[in-house]
Amino acid sequence: MNHNTLLEIIKSRRSIRKFKSHEVPKDKIRSILEAGCWAPSFANSQPWNFIVVDDPALKERMFLATAHHEILEAPASIIVTVDPEKDMVHHILDGANATMNMLLMAHYLKLGAVWVGVLGLKAEDLVKEALNIPPNIRVISIIPIGEAAEFPSSTRKNLEELVFWNTYGFGGFLP
């Protein structure tokens, strides 16, 4: 794959909030999970664990905890958790890296997905309770996954508005 193909995958990924009811093949879920395992982490600590939820009763409990309808609509969700004891400082960033890798892999596999954040909210405690997650483990994200039933557009700022060379606010982007 050349860099243009990878950049196109990154640029075309969208947050999908409406899903078709088709089951997600287990081999695709496995590929998404493997992408999460290969995310970068501080000192290779790999502080994450992933929980796949496709049980309707558990999906209902997570929906009640978060009020995100995507969890109910998607055939499956992946819950990204991290153990702060494996890396006291960077565990949240490591979990975010794993989440992003999984979102990109889902898109590459022609599936829709969205990042549902629960970190630090009351929802985190309710999700932990629903899934028997120990109190010391943090819930970083919930990723509802399925066949997309929508294809939203997106815009981004120009690179020239966001990049500075050698110092903040000075120099601008050099082509």
Side-chain angles (χ1 to χ4, degrees):
M1 177 186 328
N2 66 40
H3 77 281
N4 288 328
T5 304
L6 178 57
L7 186 57
E8 286 307 312
I9 290 168
I10 292 168
K11 289 168 71 172
S12 62
R13 190 207 63 80
R14 299 289 180 270
S15 294
I16 301 300
R17 293 177 173 85
K18 295 186 185 307
F19 300 91
K20 296 180 181 177
S21 61
H22 311 304
E23 184 177 315
V24 179
K26 299 285 190 260
D27 62 323
K28 288 189 175 188
I29 290 176
R30 182 177 176 81
S31 293
I32 293 165
L33 294 166
E34 191 168 2
C37 290
W38 279 95
S41 63
F42 179 76
N44 201 27
S45 60
Q46 303 174 54
W48 45 66
N49 286 105
F50 312 121
I51 304 166
V52 179
V53 174
D54 59 3
D55 176 82
L58 288 175
K59 287 170 39 174
E60 176 73 24
R61 287 185 71 184
M62 289 193 313
F63 165 72
L64 292 172
T66 65
H68 282 273
H69 67 88
E70 301 92 338
I71 295 168
L72 287 177
E73 285 192 27
S77 289
I78 297 172
I79 293 74
V80 177
T81 69
V82 294
D83 182 348
E85 292 178 15
K86 291 184 179 178
D87 175 8
M88 299 298 284
V89 178
H90 302 93
H91 59 278
I92 293 172
L93 299 172
D94 295 340
N97 287 342
T99 299
M100 193 66 228
N101 269 21
M102 288 191 276
L103 290 169
L104 288 170
M105 180 56 83
H107 177 57
Y108 176 77
L109 295 172
K110 309 275 190 265
L111 294 170
V114 64
W115 182 323
V116 173
V118 294
L119 183 64
L121 301 175
K122 172 120 175 86
E124 182 180 5
D125 292 332
L126 295 172
V127 169
K128 285 174 155 184
E129 181 183 317
L131 301 176
N132 296 316
I133 298 170
N136 63 309
I137 301 299
R138 299 300 310 268
V139 178
I140 301 299
S141 60
I142 300 171
I143 308 170
I145 298 171
E147 187 178 336
E150 66 173 355
F151 300 94
S153 62
S154 182
T155 59
R156 291 291 186 268
K157 293 179 181 179
N158 292 324
L159 199 55
E160 292 77 12
E161 297 176 68
L162 301 171
V163 177
F164 304 102
W165 215 267
N166 292 321
T167 185
Y168 186 85
F170 178 77
F173 180 74
L174 299 177

